[in-house]
Amino acid sequence: MAGFSSADRALSDAFRTLAQAPFSPQTTEAIMRVVREPHQRRGYAAPGIERDIAYGPDPRQRLDVHYDPEAVNQQVPVLVWVPGGGFVFSTKWQPGTPHWDNIGAWARRNHAIAVIIDYRLAPQYTWPVAAGDLASAIEWVRQNIIAYGGDPNRIVLAGASSGAAHVASFVAGHGGDPGSLAGVVVVSGIYAPASVTEAPLSILVGKYYGVDHDELRARSSVPGLAAWPGPLLVTVAEFDPATLQQQALLLLAERFQARGALPYFAVDPGHLHASDVFSLGIDDSALDLMMRRLLAEVTS
């Protein structure tokens, strides 16, 4: 099928098989097993990785910089990546696996630097704490990334799943003034928490956003993100839960109403939730294509 080379066609078959069952933490583990060998075959690490840099006092406020030590005299775009994890779990790096080092390798292949962040989690920390953490991490990038060869004026902020929800919340101003960004990417996120009514997603949403319906409506990031004037990419996977596909449609409609045009948008064929980001760098997915397009716009 389109989106996969013949050498990695087994990925497509594996993802379609996994998509036949409801998504669960075990699904994520299965996706990681499927993509590990192709990542190892291609190589999944940037030439240089500096880990566990503090951007705040909490132990969860840490980030990794993926860069090329031989190119620190350049100023290339910076991809700041916010991992997901259902609001209650997230990690910027799982030792001995490609995740999320594959994002750093992808960035370097596309002439960019990647910064991958951890942030504080529910239920201990609730809305809008994660958006505030993003604000602190972005400020660190603006102040320090030039030393790694990055351009602080060309930051693309991206996130997947609950990471996309936090990106949207940050851009909507829930963590303070978001300042200037060169581009935004949200992958299979939740943007209007009041409209998430089915378990298990509604349970996870409640742990971070709360359960009061009026508060949930007020905490929507849809109006703020839709009004943001810069380049925006919205993607979902073909086999994403219907709730997440509906979230994307709500955002697209509001964006059209606010800006008079749709953002970049793609449905990633053959992928289920999280498989598109876990396999970034080993297939020619819609997410890969559209992110490269957005980076090209930022670079030009």
Side-chain angles (χ1 to χ4, degrees), residues 25 28 32 52 55 58-64 80-95 97 99-101 103 115-125 130-131 133-134 158-167 204 207-208 273-274 277-278:
T28 301
M32 291 170 64
D52 296 324
Y55 67 84
D58 191 273
R60 289 284 310 170
Q61 293 174 313
R62 299 293 184 268
L63 57 82
D64 294 347
V80 177
W81 187 268
V82 186
F87 301 101
V88 297
F89 173 82
S90 181
T91 180
K92 59 183 172 53
W93 178 47
Q94 298 185 41
T97 79
H99 320 299
W100 292 105
D101 286 356
I103 303 297
V115 176
I116 305 174
I117 75 165
D118 276 340
Y119 50 87
R120 289 173 289 178
L121 300 170
Q124 182 178 2
Y125 297 99
D133 284 352
L134 266 63
S161 193
S162 57
H166 297 319
V167 167
L204 294 171
K207 290 180 182 296
Y208 180 67
H273 190 69
V277 290
F278 277 117

Short mmCIF file of all heavy atoms in Angstrom, two decimals, residues 25 28 32 52 55 58-64 80-95 97 99-101 103 115-125 130-131 133-134 158-167 204 207-208 273-274 277-278:
data_model
loop_
_atom_site.label_atom_id
_atom_site.label_comp_id
_atom_site.label_asym_id
_atom_site.label_seq_id
_atom_site.Cartn_x
_atom_site.Cartn_y
_atom_site.Cartn_z
N PRO A 25 -2.81 0.20 26.51
CA PRO A 25 -1.36 0.26 26.71
C PRO A 25 -0.62 -0.90 26.08
O PRO A 25 0.53 -0.76 25.63
CB PRO A 25 -1.23 0.25 28.24
CG PRO A 25 -2.50 0.85 28.73
CD PRO A 25 -3.55 0.37 27.77
N THR A 28 0.28 -0.08 22.51
CA THR A 28 1.49 0.73 22.39
C THR A 28 2.73 -0.15 22.47
O THR A 28 3.67 0.01 21.68
CB THR A 28 1.53 1.79 23.51
OG1 THR A 28 0.37 2.61 23.42
CG2 THR A 28 2.77 2.66 23.38
N MET A 32 5.60 -0.72 19.52
CA MET A 32 7.04 -0.53 19.76
C MET A 32 7.84 -1.76 19.33
O MET A 32 8.93 -1.62 18.77
CB MET A 32 7.27 -0.21 21.23
CG MET A 32 6.74 1.16 21.63
SD MET A 32 6.76 1.44 23.43
CE MET A 32 8.51 1.37 23.76
N ASP A 52 18.50 15.23 29.62
CA ASP A 52 18.10 15.59 30.98
C ASP A 52 18.53 17.00 31.37
O ASP A 52 19.00 17.25 32.48
CB ASP A 52 18.62 14.57 31.98
CG ASP A 52 18.02 13.20 31.78
OD1 ASP A 52 16.84 13.12 31.42
OD2 ASP A 52 18.75 12.19 31.95
N TYR A 55 14.73 22.53 32.58
CA TYR A 55 14.13 23.81 32.17
C TYR A 55 13.25 24.37 33.30
O TYR A 55 12.60 25.40 33.13
CB TYR A 55 13.35 23.67 30.86
CG TYR A 55 12.11 22.80 30.93
CD1 TYR A 55 10.89 23.32 31.37
CD2 TYR A 55 12.13 21.47 30.53
CE1 TYR A 55 9.75 22.55 31.42
CE2 TYR A 55 10.99 20.68 30.58
CZ TYR A 55 9.80 21.22 31.01
OH TYR A 55 8.66 20.45 31.06
N ASP A 58 11.27 21.20 38.87
CA ASP A 58 10.67 19.89 39.11
C ASP A 58 11.43 18.80 38.36
O ASP A 58 11.90 19.04 37.23
CB ASP A 58 9.21 19.90 38.67
CG ASP A 58 8.46 18.66 39.13
OD1 ASP A 58 8.48 17.63 38.41
OD2 ASP A 58 7.86 18.71 40.21
N PRO A 59 11.58 17.60 38.92
CA PRO A 59 12.29 16.53 38.22
C PRO A 59 11.69 16.16 36.87
O PRO A 59 12.38 15.61 36.01
CB PRO A 59 12.21 15.35 39.20
CG PRO A 59 12.04 15.98 40.54
CD PRO A 59 11.24 17.21 40.31
N ARG A 60 10.40 16.44 36.67
CA ARG A 60 9.77 16.16 35.38
C ARG A 60 10.05 17.26 34.35
O ARG A 60 9.79 17.05 33.15
CB ARG A 60 8.25 16.04 35.56
CG ARG A 60 7.79 14.81 36.28
CD ARG A 60 7.85 13.57 35.42
NE ARG A 60 7.22 13.74 34.12
CZ ARG A 60 7.31 12.87 33.13
NH1 ARG A 60 8.02 11.77 33.27
NH2 ARG A 60 6.70 13.08 31.98
N GLN A 61 10.59 18.36 34.77
CA GLN A 61 10.85 19.47 33.84
C GLN A 61 12.25 19.31 33.26
O GLN A 61 13.18 20.03 33.62
CB GLN A 61 10.68 20.81 34.55
CG GLN A 61 9.23 21.07 34.96
CD GLN A 61 9.09 22.33 35.79
OE1 GLN A 61 9.84 22.57 36.75
NE2 GLN A 61 8.11 23.15 35.45
N ARG A 62 12.36 18.37 32.35
CA ARG A 62 13.63 18.04 31.72
C ARG A 62 13.42 17.89 30.22
O ARG A 62 12.33 17.56 29.75
CB ARG A 62 14.20 16.73 32.29
CG ARG A 62 14.50 16.77 33.79
CD ARG A 62 15.63 17.72 34.13
NE ARG A 62 15.97 17.70 35.55
CZ ARG A 62 15.45 18.52 36.45
NH1 ARG A 62 14.52 19.39 36.08
NH2 ARG A 62 15.83 18.45 37.71
N LEU A 63 14.50 18.11 29.46
CA LEU A 63 14.42 17.98 28.01
C LEU A 63 15.71 17.40 27.47
O LEU A 63 16.76 17.46 28.12
CB LEU A 63 14.10 19.33 27.35
CG LEU A 63 15.04 20.53 27.60
CD1 LEU A 63 16.27 20.51 26.70
CD2 LEU A 63 14.28 21.83 27.42
N ASP A 64 15.63 16.80 26.28
CA ASP A 64 16.78 16.28 25.54
C ASP A 64 16.92 17.08 24.25
O ASP A 64 15.92 17.38 23.58
CB ASP A 64 16.59 14.80 25.17
CG ASP A 64 16.56 13.88 26.38
OD1 ASP A 64 16.91 14.32 27.49
OD2 ASP A 64 16.16 12.71 26.20
N VAL A 80 10.34 21.17 18.46
CA VAL A 80 10.11 20.85 19.88
C VAL A 80 8.98 19.84 19.94
O VAL A 80 7.84 20.14 19.53
CB VAL A 80 9.77 22.11 20.68
CG1 VAL A 80 9.47 21.75 22.14
CG2 VAL A 80 10.91 23.12 20.62
N TRP A 81 9.27 18.65 20.44
CA TRP A 81 8.32 17.54 20.41
C TRP A 81 7.81 17.24 21.82
O TRP A 81 8.60 17.09 22.76
CB TRP A 81 8.98 16.29 19.83
CG TRP A 81 8.01 15.16 19.64
CD1 TRP A 81 7.72 14.16 20.53
CD2 TRP A 81 7.19 14.93 18.50
NE1 TRP A 81 6.77 13.32 20.00
CE2 TRP A 81 6.41 13.77 18.76
CE3 TRP A 81 7.02 15.59 17.27
CZ2 TRP A 81 5.50 13.25 17.84
CZ3 TRP A 81 6.12 15.07 16.35
CH2 TRP A 81 5.37 13.92 16.65
N VAL A 82 6.48 17.14 21.93
CA VAL A 82 5.83 16.87 23.21
C VAL A 82 5.19 15.48 23.14
O VAL A 82 4.17 15.30 22.46
CB VAL A 82 4.76 17.93 23.52
CG1 VAL A 82 4.19 17.72 24.94
CG2 VAL A 82 5.36 19.34 23.39
N PRO A 83 5.76 14.48 23.80
CA PRO A 83 5.20 13.12 23.72
C PRO A 83 3.84 13.03 24.42
O PRO A 83 3.50 13.83 25.30
CB PRO A 83 6.24 12.27 24.46
CG PRO A 83 7.47 13.11 24.53
CD PRO A 83 6.99 14.52 24.58
N GLY A 84 3.08 12.01 24.03
CA GLY A 84 1.81 11.74 24.69
C GLY A 84 1.95 10.67 25.75
O GLY A 84 3.03 10.24 26.10
N GLY A 85 0.79 10.25 26.26
CA GLY A 85 0.76 9.23 27.31
C GLY A 85 -0.51 9.28 28.13
O GLY A 85 -0.50 8.91 29.31
N GLY A 86 -1.60 9.74 27.51
CA GLY A 86 -2.89 9.72 28.20
C GLY A 86 -2.98 10.64 29.39
O GLY A 86 -3.77 10.39 30.31
N PHE A 87 -2.17 11.71 29.41
CA PHE A 87 -2.14 12.72 30.46
C PHE A 87 -1.51 12.22 31.76
O PHE A 87 -1.12 13.03 32.60
CB PHE A 87 -3.55 13.27 30.77
CG PHE A 87 -4.22 13.90 29.61
CD1 PHE A 87 -5.19 13.21 28.90
CD2 PHE A 87 -3.87 15.17 29.19
CE1 PHE A 87 -5.82 13.78 27.81
CE2 PHE A 87 -4.48 15.75 28.10
CZ PHE A 87 -5.46 15.06 27.40
N VAL A 88 -1.39 10.91 31.93
CA VAL A 88 -0.90 10.36 33.20
C VAL A 88 0.47 9.71 33.06
O VAL A 88 1.08 9.30 34.06
CB VAL A 88 -1.90 9.34 33.79
CG1 VAL A 88 -3.22 10.01 34.10
CG2 VAL A 88 -2.11 8.17 32.83
N PHE A 89 0.95 9.57 31.84
CA PHE A 89 2.26 8.97 31.60
C PHE A 89 2.88 9.66 30.39
O PHE A 89 2.20 10.02 29.45
CB PHE A 89 2.14 7.47 31.33
CG PHE A 89 3.44 6.84 30.89
CD1 PHE A 89 4.39 6.46 31.83
CD2 PHE A 89 3.73 6.65 29.54
CE1 PHE A 89 5.60 5.90 31.43
CE2 PHE A 89 4.93 6.09 29.13
CZ PHE A 89 5.87 5.72 30.08
N SER A 90 4.18 9.85 30.44
CA SER A 90 4.90 10.36 29.28
C SER A 90 6.39 10.24 29.57
O SER A 90 6.82 10.36 30.72
CB SER A 90 4.55 11.83 29.01
OG SER A 90 5.25 12.30 27.87
N THR A 91 7.16 9.98 28.53
CA THR A 91 8.60 9.93 28.68
C THR A 91 9.25 10.38 27.39
O THR A 91 8.82 10.01 26.31
CB THR A 91 9.09 8.53 29.07
OG1 THR A 91 10.51 8.54 29.21
CG2 THR A 91 8.70 7.48 28.04
N LYS A 92 10.29 11.17 27.53
CA LYS A 92 11.00 11.68 26.36
C LYS A 92 12.00 10.67 25.81
O LYS A 92 12.51 10.84 24.70
CB LYS A 92 11.72 12.99 26.69
CG LYS A 92 12.72 12.86 27.83
CD LYS A 92 13.34 14.20 28.17
CE LYS A 92 14.19 14.15 29.42
NZ LYS A 92 15.23 13.10 29.44
N TRP A 93 12.29 9.62 26.57
CA TRP A 93 13.28 8.64 26.14
C TRP A 93 13.06 7.34 26.90
O TRP A 93 12.87 7.35 28.12
CB TRP A 93 14.69 9.17 26.40
CG TRP A 93 15.79 8.22 26.03
CD1 TRP A 93 15.90 7.50 24.86
CD2 TRP A 93 16.93 7.88 26.81
NE1 TRP A 93 17.05 6.74 24.87
CE2 TRP A 93 17.71 6.95 26.06
CE3 TRP A 93 17.40 8.26 28.07
CZ2 TRP A 93 18.90 6.41 26.53
CZ3 TRP A 93 18.58 7.72 28.53
CH2 TRP A 93 19.33 6.82 27.77
N GLN A 94 13.07 6.23 26.16
CA GLN A 94 13.02 4.92 26.78
C GLN A 94 14.33 4.20 26.43
O GLN A 94 14.50 3.76 25.29
CB GLN A 94 11.81 4.14 26.25
CG GLN A 94 10.50 4.83 26.60
CD GLN A 94 9.30 4.01 26.19
OE1 GLN A 94 9.29 2.80 26.36
NE2 GLN A 94 8.29 4.67 25.67
N PRO A 95 15.27 4.13 27.37
CA PRO A 95 16.59 3.57 27.07
C PRO A 95 16.52 2.18 26.42
O PRO A 95 15.69 1.35 26.80
CB PRO A 95 17.26 3.50 28.45
CG PRO A 95 16.58 4.57 29.25
CD PRO A 95 15.15 4.57 28.77
N THR A 97 15.57 1.63 23.40
CA THR A 97 14.55 1.61 22.35
C THR A 97 14.72 2.84 21.46
O THR A 97 15.41 3.80 21.83
CB THR A 97 13.13 1.62 22.94
OG1 THR A 97 12.79 2.96 23.33
CG2 THR A 97 13.03 0.69 24.14
N HIS A 99 12.57 5.13 21.03
CA HIS A 99 11.54 6.09 21.39
C HIS A 99 11.98 6.97 22.57
O HIS A 99 12.31 6.45 23.62
CB HIS A 99 10.26 5.35 21.74
CG HIS A 99 9.99 4.19 20.84
ND1 HIS A 99 9.80 4.33 19.49
CD2 HIS A 99 9.95 2.87 21.08
CE1 HIS A 99 9.63 3.15 18.94
NE2 HIS A 99 9.72 2.24 19.89
N TRP A 100 12.00 8.27 22.39
CA TRP A 100 11.66 9.05 21.20
C TRP A 100 12.88 9.57 20.45
O TRP A 100 12.84 10.61 19.82
CB TRP A 100 10.76 10.21 21.59
CG TRP A 100 9.42 9.75 22.04
CD1 TRP A 100 8.95 9.70 23.31
CD2 TRP A 100 8.37 9.28 21.19
NE1 TRP A 100 7.67 9.22 23.33
CE2 TRP A 100 7.28 8.96 22.03
CE3 TRP A 100 8.21 9.09 19.82
CZ2 TRP A 100 6.09 8.46 21.54
CZ3 TRP A 100 7.01 8.61 19.36
CH2 TRP A 100 5.97 8.30 20.21
N ASP A 101 13.96 8.83 20.51
CA ASP A 101 15.15 9.22 19.73
C ASP A 101 14.86 9.23 18.24
O ASP A 101 15.54 9.94 17.49
CB ASP A 101 16.31 8.27 20.02
CG ASP A 101 16.94 8.50 21.38
OD1 ASP A 101 16.51 9.45 22.08
OD2 ASP A 101 17.84 7.74 21.75
N ILE A 103 12.52 10.66 16.78
CA ILE A 103 12.14 12.03 16.40
C ILE A 103 13.40 12.86 16.15
O ILE A 103 13.46 13.66 15.21
CB ILE A 103 11.28 12.68 17.49
CG1 ILE A 103 10.03 11.83 17.76
CG2 ILE A 103 10.90 14.10 17.10
CD1 ILE A 103 9.09 11.69 16.60
N VAL A 115 14.10 18.98 20.02
CA VAL A 115 14.10 19.09 21.48
C VAL A 115 12.87 18.32 21.96
O VAL A 115 11.75 18.65 21.57
CB VAL A 115 14.05 20.55 21.94
CG1 VAL A 115 13.94 20.62 23.47
CG2 VAL A 115 15.26 21.32 21.44
N ILE A 116 13.10 17.30 22.78
CA ILE A 116 12.00 16.45 23.24
C ILE A 116 11.87 16.64 24.75
O ILE A 116 12.87 16.56 25.47
CB ILE A 116 12.26 14.98 22.88
CG1 ILE A 116 12.49 14.87 21.37
CG2 ILE A 116 11.08 14.11 23.32
CD1 ILE A 116 12.90 13.51 20.90
N ILE A 117 10.64 16.89 25.21
CA ILE A 117 10.48 17.33 26.59
C ILE A 117 9.65 16.34 27.42
O ILE A 117 8.79 15.63 26.90
CB ILE A 117 9.85 18.73 26.67
CG1 ILE A 117 8.35 18.68 26.37
CG2 ILE A 117 10.55 19.70 25.75
CD1 ILE A 117 7.63 19.94 26.77
N ASP A 118 9.96 16.30 28.70
CA ASP A 118 9.07 15.75 29.71
C ASP A 118 8.33 16.90 30.37
O ASP A 118 8.78 18.07 30.32
CB ASP A 118 9.86 14.97 30.77
CG ASP A 118 10.16 13.54 30.34
OD1 ASP A 118 9.47 13.03 29.45
OD2 ASP A 118 11.09 12.95 30.91
N TYR A 119 7.24 16.59 31.03
CA TYR A 119 6.42 17.61 31.69
C TYR A 119 5.67 16.95 32.83
O TYR A 119 5.60 15.72 32.93
CB TYR A 119 5.46 18.26 30.70
CG TYR A 119 4.66 17.27 29.88
CD1 TYR A 119 3.45 16.76 30.35
CD2 TYR A 119 5.14 16.81 28.65
CE1 TYR A 119 2.74 15.82 29.62
CE2 TYR A 119 4.43 15.88 27.91
CZ TYR A 119 3.22 15.39 28.40
OH TYR A 119 2.52 14.46 27.67
N ARG A 120 5.10 17.77 33.69
CA ARG A 120 4.39 17.23 34.85
C ARG A 120 3.06 16.60 34.43
O ARG A 120 2.43 17.02 33.47
CB ARG A 120 4.20 18.33 35.89
CG ARG A 120 5.50 18.72 36.57
CD ARG A 120 5.35 19.93 37.47
NE ARG A 120 5.16 21.16 36.70
CZ ARG A 120 4.97 22.35 37.24
NH1 ARG A 120 4.92 22.46 38.58
NH2 ARG A 120 4.82 23.41 36.49
N LEU A 121 2.64 15.58 35.20
CA LEU A 121 1.56 14.70 34.78
C LEU A 121 0.39 14.71 35.75
O LEU A 121 0.54 14.96 36.95
CB LEU A 121 2.09 13.26 34.67
CG LEU A 121 3.24 13.02 33.68
CD1 LEU A 121 3.81 11.63 33.88
CD2 LEU A 121 2.75 13.22 32.24
N ALA A 122 -0.81 14.39 35.21
CA ALA A 122 -1.98 14.11 36.03
C ALA A 122 -1.81 12.73 36.67
O ALA A 122 -1.05 11.90 36.16
CB ALA A 122 -3.22 14.15 35.15
N PRO A 123 -2.51 12.45 37.74
CA PRO A 123 -3.47 13.32 38.41
C PRO A 123 -2.86 14.30 39.41
O PRO A 123 -3.58 15.14 39.95
CB PRO A 123 -4.38 12.33 39.11
CG PRO A 123 -3.46 11.18 39.46
CD PRO A 123 -2.51 11.07 38.30
N GLN A 124 -1.56 14.20 39.66
CA GLN A 124 -0.95 15.11 40.63
C GLN A 124 -1.02 16.55 40.14
O GLN A 124 -1.26 17.47 40.93
CB GLN A 124 0.50 14.72 40.90
CG GLN A 124 1.18 15.59 41.94
CD GLN A 124 2.61 15.16 42.23
OE1 GLN A 124 3.12 14.21 41.63
NE2 GLN A 124 3.26 15.84 43.16
N TYR A 125 -0.82 16.74 38.85
CA TYR A 125 -0.85 18.08 38.27
C TYR A 125 -1.96 18.14 37.23
O TYR A 125 -2.03 17.28 36.35
CB TYR A 125 0.50 18.43 37.64
CG TYR A 125 1.63 18.49 38.65
CD1 TYR A 125 2.48 17.40 38.82
CD2 TYR A 125 1.80 19.61 39.45
CE1 TYR A 125 3.50 17.44 39.76
CE2 TYR A 125 2.82 19.66 40.40
CZ TYR A 125 3.67 18.57 40.54
OH TYR A 125 4.68 18.62 41.47
N ALA A 130 0.56 21.58 32.41
CA ALA A 130 1.41 21.13 31.30
C ALA A 130 1.65 22.24 30.29
O ALA A 130 2.75 22.36 29.74
CB ALA A 130 0.79 19.91 30.61
N ALA A 131 0.64 23.07 30.04
CA ALA A 131 0.83 24.21 29.13
C ALA A 131 1.86 25.18 29.69
O ALA A 131 2.67 25.75 28.96
CB ALA A 131 -0.49 24.92 28.88
N ASP A 133 4.34 24.25 31.60
CA ASP A 133 5.63 23.59 31.40
C ASP A 133 6.13 23.80 29.98
O ASP A 133 7.33 24.02 29.76
CB ASP A 133 5.51 22.10 31.71
CG ASP A 133 5.46 21.81 33.20
OD1 ASP A 133 5.66 22.75 34.00
OD2 ASP A 133 5.22 20.64 33.57
N LEU A 134 5.24 23.72 29.01
CA LEU A 134 5.65 23.99 27.63
C LEU A 134 6.17 25.41 27.49
O LEU A 134 7.17 25.65 26.79
CB LEU A 134 4.47 23.77 26.67
CG LEU A 134 4.40 22.38 26.03
CD1 LEU A 134 4.19 21.30 27.08
CD2 LEU A 134 3.29 22.33 24.99
N ALA A 158 5.39 20.67 18.22
CA ALA A 158 4.60 19.52 17.78
C ALA A 158 4.34 18.59 18.95
O ALA A 158 5.15 18.47 19.88
CB ALA A 158 5.35 18.76 16.68
N GLY A 159 3.21 17.89 18.89
CA GLY A 159 2.89 16.91 19.91
C GLY A 159 1.90 15.89 19.39
O GLY A 159 1.18 16.14 18.42
N ALA A 160 1.88 14.74 20.04
CA ALA A 160 0.98 13.65 19.65
C ALA A 160 0.16 13.20 20.83
O ALA A 160 0.64 13.16 21.97
CB ALA A 160 1.79 12.48 19.09
N SER A 161 -1.11 12.88 20.58
CA SER A 161 -2.03 12.37 21.58
C SER A 161 -2.19 13.42 22.70
O SER A 161 -2.50 14.57 22.41
CB SER A 161 -1.55 11.02 22.09
OG SER A 161 -2.54 10.36 22.81
N SER A 162 -1.98 13.05 23.96
CA SER A 162 -2.09 14.07 25.00
C SER A 162 -1.03 15.15 24.83
O SER A 162 -1.24 16.30 25.26
CB SER A 162 -1.99 13.43 26.39
OG SER A 162 -0.78 12.71 26.54
N GLY A 163 0.10 14.82 24.21
CA GLY A 163 1.08 15.86 23.89
C GLY A 163 0.51 16.89 22.94
O GLY A 163 0.79 18.10 23.06
N ALA A 164 -0.31 16.45 21.99
CA ALA A 164 -0.97 17.39 21.08
C ALA A 164 -1.97 18.26 21.83
O ALA A 164 -2.12 19.45 21.54
CB ALA A 164 -1.67 16.63 19.96
N ALA A 165 -2.66 17.66 22.81
CA ALA A 165 -3.58 18.45 23.63
C ALA A 165 -2.84 19.56 24.36
O ALA A 165 -3.32 20.71 24.44
CB ALA A 165 -4.31 17.54 24.61
N HIS A 166 -1.66 19.25 24.89
CA HIS A 166 -0.89 20.26 25.61
C HIS A 166 -0.34 21.32 24.65
O HIS A 166 -0.28 22.51 25.00
CB HIS A 166 0.25 19.60 26.37
CG HIS A 166 -0.22 18.65 27.43
ND1 HIS A 166 -1.30 18.90 28.25
CD2 HIS A 166 0.24 17.41 27.80
CE1 HIS A 166 -1.47 17.89 29.08
NE2 HIS A 166 -0.55 16.98 28.83
N VAL A 167 0.08 20.91 23.46
CA VAL A 167 0.52 21.88 22.45
C VAL A 167 -0.62 22.84 22.12
O VAL A 167 -0.44 24.07 22.09
CB VAL A 167 1.02 21.17 21.19
CG1 VAL A 167 1.17 22.15 20.02
CG2 VAL A 167 2.34 20.46 21.45
N LEU A 204 -9.49 9.51 31.30
CA LEU A 204 -8.18 10.15 31.24
C LEU A 204 -8.33 11.66 31.15
O LEU A 204 -7.57 12.41 31.80
CB LEU A 204 -7.40 9.61 30.05
CG LEU A 204 -7.02 8.13 30.13
CD1 LEU A 204 -6.45 7.65 28.81
CD2 LEU A 204 -6.04 7.88 31.26
N LYS A 207 -8.98 13.18 34.52
CA LYS A 207 -7.84 13.24 35.44
C LYS A 207 -7.03 14.53 35.25
O LYS A 207 -6.41 15.02 36.21
CB LYS A 207 -6.93 12.03 35.22
CG LYS A 207 -7.54 10.71 35.70
CD LYS A 207 -6.59 9.54 35.47
CE LYS A 207 -7.20 8.22 35.90
NZ LYS A 207 -7.47 8.16 37.34
N TYR A 208 -7.03 15.07 34.04
CA TYR A 208 -6.25 16.29 33.79
C TYR A 208 -7.12 17.55 33.76
O TYR A 208 -6.81 18.54 34.40
CB TYR A 208 -5.48 16.18 32.48
CG TYR A 208 -4.64 17.43 32.18
CD1 TYR A 208 -3.55 17.75 32.99
CD2 TYR A 208 -4.96 18.27 31.14
CE1 TYR A 208 -2.80 18.88 32.76
CE2 TYR A 208 -4.19 19.42 30.89
CZ TYR A 208 -3.12 19.72 31.69
OH TYR A 208 -2.38 20.85 31.47
N HIS A 273 -3.59 4.60 16.25
CA HIS A 273 -3.13 5.61 17.20
C HIS A 273 -1.70 5.31 17.65
O HIS A 273 -1.40 4.20 18.11
CB HIS A 273 -4.06 5.67 18.41
CG HIS A 273 -3.81 6.83 19.30
ND1 HIS A 273 -4.08 8.13 18.93
CD2 HIS A 273 -3.31 6.91 20.57
CE1 HIS A 273 -3.76 8.94 19.92
NE2 HIS A 273 -3.28 8.23 20.92
N ALA A 274 -0.83 6.29 17.51
CA ALA A 274 0.57 6.25 17.95
C ALA A 274 1.51 5.57 16.96
O ALA A 274 2.71 5.82 16.99
CB ALA A 274 0.74 5.61 19.33
N VAL A 277 3.63 8.09 14.78
CA VAL A 277 4.78 8.78 15.38
C VAL A 277 5.87 7.79 15.78
O VAL A 277 7.06 8.09 15.67
CB VAL A 277 4.35 9.66 16.57
CG1 VAL A 277 3.56 10.85 16.08
CG2 VAL A 277 3.54 8.89 17.58
N PHE A 278 5.48 6.60 16.23
CA PHE A 278 6.50 5.61 16.56
C PHE A 278 7.29 5.16 15.33
O PHE A 278 8.45 4.79 15.43
CB PHE A 278 5.87 4.37 17.23
CG PHE A 278 5.62 4.53 18.70
CD1 PHE A 278 4.33 4.50 19.20
CD2 PHE A 278 6.67 4.70 19.58
CE1 PHE A 278 4.10 4.64 20.55
CE2 PHE A 278 6.45 4.84 20.94
CZ PHE A 278 5.15 4.81 21.43
#
